[in-house]
Amino acid sequence: MPNRSSKRPRDVNALAKLIADVTTGQTELPKTDEGKDPAAVALGRRGGLKGGKARAAALTKKRRAEIAKKAAASRWSRK
């Protein structure tokens, strides 16, 4: 089973208690990003924000059309 980033309980009753405690303000949700480097997170986010625009600017019109045709064929093949 894959590791989950969430630290919520898997048991339904324990999860219900956690939700009730968070709702009433008795506790807070567990933090999930404790082991991450803030600089690396910021760098990854910055790259992700400009990645699509940079790729679109680098593609030719012909290549964009090929990609769009392939995506449409993939969507319609599932029906």
Side-chain angles (χ1 to χ4, degrees):
M1 176 145 297
N3 292 334
R4 303 282 185 216
S5 61
S6 176
K7 303 295 182 193
R8 294 183 302 156
R10 294 183 58 122
D11 179 46
V12 177
N13 293 325
L15 180 60
K17 182 182 180 325
L18 175 68
I19 292 171
D21 289 344
V22 169
T23 305
T24 58
Q26 294 177 356
T27 187
E28 292 183 11
L29 287 175
K31 302 290 182 189
T32 58
D33 59 351
E34 294 169 348
K36 295 183 181 177
D37 180 14
V41 170
L43 183 64
R45 175 158 170 72
R46 190 171 28 158
L49 289 176
K50 63 181 170 182
K53 292 178 184 177
R55 180 172 185 249
L59 290 173
T60 64
K61 186 174 181 178
K62 182 179 176 184
R63 181 66 179 130
R64 281 197 313 270
E66 290 172 0
I67 292 170
K69 286 178 186 177
K70 182 179 175 184
S74 176
R75 283 193 302 271
W76 285 99
S77 69
R78 288 187 238 142
K79 297 273 178 179

